[in-house]
Amino acid sequence: MQADDARYLKRKYKGGSLDVHPTEKALVVQYEVEATILGETGDPMLGERKECQKIIRLKSLNSNTDIASLARKVVEECRLISPSRLPEVEQLLFYLQNRKKSAEKKEKKQIKPRDLTPFEGMELDEEANINSIDDYVELLYEDIPEKIRGATLILHLARNPDNLEELLQNETALGALARVLREDWKQSVDLATTIIYVFFCFSSFSQFHGLITHYKIGVLCMSIIEHELKRYDLWQDELQKKKKAGDDDPDNQNLKKEYEKALKKYHGLLTKQEQLLRVALYLLLNLSEDTRTELKMRNKNIVHLLVKTLDRDSEELLVLVVSFLKKLSIFLENKNDMAEIDTVEKLAKLVPCEHEDLLNVTLRLLLNLSFDTGLRSKMVQADLLPKLTSLLGDEAQRQIAMCILYHISMDDRFKSMFAYTDCIPQMLFDCGEERIDAELISFCINLAANKRNAQIMCEGNGLKMLMKRALKLKDPLMMKMIRNISQHDGPSKNLFIDYVGDLAAPIGLKEEEEFVIESLGTLSNLTIPDLDWELVLKEYNLVPYLKDHLKPGSAEDDLILEVVIMIGTVSMDDSCAVMLAKSGIIPALIELLNAQQEDDEFVCQIVYVFYQMVFHQATRDVIIKETQAPAYLIDLMHDKNAEIRKVCDNTLDIIAEYDVEWGKKIQSEKFRWHNSQWLEMVENRQMDEAEPFMYGDDGEPFLQNGDILERPDLFYSADGIIPADGAISPKFFTDFQNGDLLGPQGFPSSSLTDGYGQTGVTPARPATAYGFRPDEQFYYGYTASR
């Protein structure tokens, strides 16, 4: 609007609320502007209201400031504040003077997009005015220096958010800026930086993203970044050549001066280029709020460009690049792109670093990448393990470093490497008397699954301290870690003899169920020959507890399963097995087997209990003569689960050795099963001329259902046991079975073996029905191990 039209415009300011700035030493004044256009007669024709705010920064405010004088000065200089509000201003200033600095420091630690700081080339000797925008646009049609000046003046306007709406309406100005950037960005880094900065100001607000997309600024920024990274490589190559030339001829002063001159020029170019990269990447980061736009960036190789930029030394630029990568890494496709290049290796060079924000955001990116198994392996290869361990003493980075280490500890390949760091004593024994954080105890649970780590945890008074803390706090997670320690054979397991009573005492009491489960699991791991289980069962009256908790539905399945495992452990002792048999636990196990026949974990562990009990005469007679356990075992002999089949076979071998009747049934079933599949194949096989051996001389098939047993030469040969001519009588098998090497039913004699081929050694209890321990990969939160 021209100056002579000013009489037709009327503005009215109305003061509003007054408050302190949340983070800075400043007052925030909310006010309302009412603009009215008057007609020639002075009557209002059009009106508009707009809510605005003004920030009054008080840089001189400190603990010694005179609040009353400062308040009067603020009221005098700011017309938006009525003199009647002087007491309110004094009160707010007093609050600012005494506000604790902790809140400010906390705010600074948060990684948030910050406004770009002014850079070299933005200085002006005049103040930009929104009413002169047309004059600034005219400068964009002049030479490069005038273009830079015009763009800089527009930038000073754009840095004030109140001007963005008005600039948005000026399509001429925005179109000219986009055109100049597209045509002249290669001619001047300052010009490109300034114009991109203008559009960056718009990108800070989501409602203006459509404008930037309309002028295709994002695509142009991608091209500029790619070009600048190539220029950077050329600069470095040229600099290295000049340095090499000077090194090859150290006496040539001209070459030395030329290199120094090139180095000085290189640093100047590098500073300007990093300013350009920073503002362009920041604009792209703002635009990537829309996942569709982010996908377009990925298709144009944004991940590779960002990773390539990690070679820079500018900490401000690196904070931005790593923040961008962190945002991208939450999508699988972007994470895979990072995995294809040396992202982890470059990030490892930034850990540790003195720049707190850069270190924090780098660790957060590594945490996102650590969910990938392959990238975890790269982290270990990049020697990140000791670096992350050293950060556990840094309170600001401890939590994130802990989470990354936890993910690495999930992989069995890397568990043993933690034994060569000081993380175990640093984390485990420096804790207070309260419960350990879930992340820390989860990490320790994973480490305890490794034998060497478990030994370190037990060194000195380690186990005593852990047991004392677990029992005092009734902490199920701490007890779970102790349970993992107890699973390893060797000196560490023998240390638990002193704590058997402490572990058994909570079982009969009404403790937290999860704590009881872990206590039972720890006791079940104590397969120590010197441990008197009979005394333990009697001392703590555990037999009634074990029997009561075998009833289906008497407790949660996890607790019932631990009871079954506990019974399997104590059944190794002959006197304990007799005590359990007399208490009626065997029928209870049969009933539980019926109820849980679809659960492989229960079936496997119950069958293992039967396996332990058939070793002892008293319990063997009960199982064979008074229950249908052998019949169940025969049915399970061909179960689809390999662990169940293995335990069943071992148990049936022992039963067959000591009971003639069951031995015949077991042998018959094994023979039937072994040959039924082959017989079925023979019967269903197509009989054609390509297989003449399946027909007799008369052309009739000779392999009928009953004929197969008449052909001993079709059985597998065993080192001359069956003659080549097939002349052998059925009596031969009986005579051979009655020899010294076999028992009464053709199974190995107990005088040589324990019934399944391992001399005098009881096999280890199956950890689970699936051949692995689920507690080796324990995640945050409690998961009952089986």
Side-chain angles (χ1 to χ4, degrees), residues 552-753:
S554 60
E556 293 292 331
D557 284 353
D558 290 336
L559 179 57
I560 298 176
L561 180 62
E562 294 303 332
V563 168
V564 175
I565 296 174
M566 178 71 176
I567 293 172
T569 298
V570 301
S571 295
M572 296 178 185
D573 186 281
D574 186 68
S575 55
C576 288
V578 174
M579 187 189 309
L580 294 174
K582 291 180 179 179
S583 68
I585 275 183
I586 296 177
L589 287 169
I590 297 290
E591 182 183 354
L592 182 61
L593 182 60
N594 279 325
Q596 300 285 357
Q597 55 186 325
E598 300 298 327
D599 191 320
D600 285 356
E601 292 287 354
F602 273 96
V603 173
C604 186
Q605 299 297 346
I606 292 173
V607 172
Y608 179 75
V609 174
F610 293 154
Y611 170 79
Q612 289 294 344
M613 288 187 169
V614 294
F615 273 102
H616 314 294
Q617 181 66 42
T619 50
R620 184 191 311 131
D621 292 340
V622 174
I623 290 176
I624 295 176
K625 298 177 181 179
E626 300 181 14
T627 72
Q628 290 297 313
Y632 279 106
L633 294 174
I634 290 175
D635 290 339
L636 294 169
M637 190 166 50
H638 312 300
D639 192 88
K640 61 183 179 181
N641 189 294
E643 290 287 332
I644 294 176
R645 290 199 307 271
K646 182 173 69 175
V647 181
C648 278
D649 287 343
N650 295 335
T651 309
L652 289 171
D653 287 349
I654 300 172
I655 293 174
E657 182 179 354
Y658 290 101
D659 189 275
V660 176
E661 184 178 351
W662 277 112
K664 290 179 180 179
K665 292 180 181 178
I666 294 167
Q667 185 181 27
S668 174
E669 173 60 24
K670 286 188 174 184
F671 180 82
R672 185 198 64 77
W673 175 259
H674 179 74
N675 292 281
S676 61
Q677 299 179 45
W678 191 73
L679 287 172
E680 183 179 354
M681 178 192 71
V682 172
E683 292 173 357
N684 296 333
R685 193 167 185 173
Q686 185 178 359
M687 301 177 184
D688 52 23
E689 295 181 358
E691 297 174 327
F693 60 88
M694 299 195 64
Y695 296 85
D697 296 336
D698 55 357
E700 295 296 328
F702 60 83
L703 292 177
Q704 304 297 330
N705 288 346
D707 297 335
I708 185 66
L709 299 179
E710 303 298 328
R711 292 292 306 275
D713 57 307
L714 294 179
F715 287 90
Y716 294 109
S717 177
D719 299 327
I721 292 178
I722 301 178
D725 59 1
I728 186 171
S729 66
K731 187 175 181 299
F732 173 83
F733 292 98
T734 305
D735 294 340
F736 186 74
Q737 289 174 359
N738 289 334
D740 292 335
L741 294 179
L742 295 181
Q745 297 301 323
F747 294 92
S749 173
S750 60
S751 62
L752 291 179
T753 68

Side-chain angles (χ1 to χ4, degrees), residues 183-196:
E183 294 176 356
D184 299 331
W185 66 267
K186 288 185 179 179
Q187 298 184 38
S188 171
V189 174
D190 289 336
L191 179 61
T193 304
T194 305
I195 296 177
I196 294 175

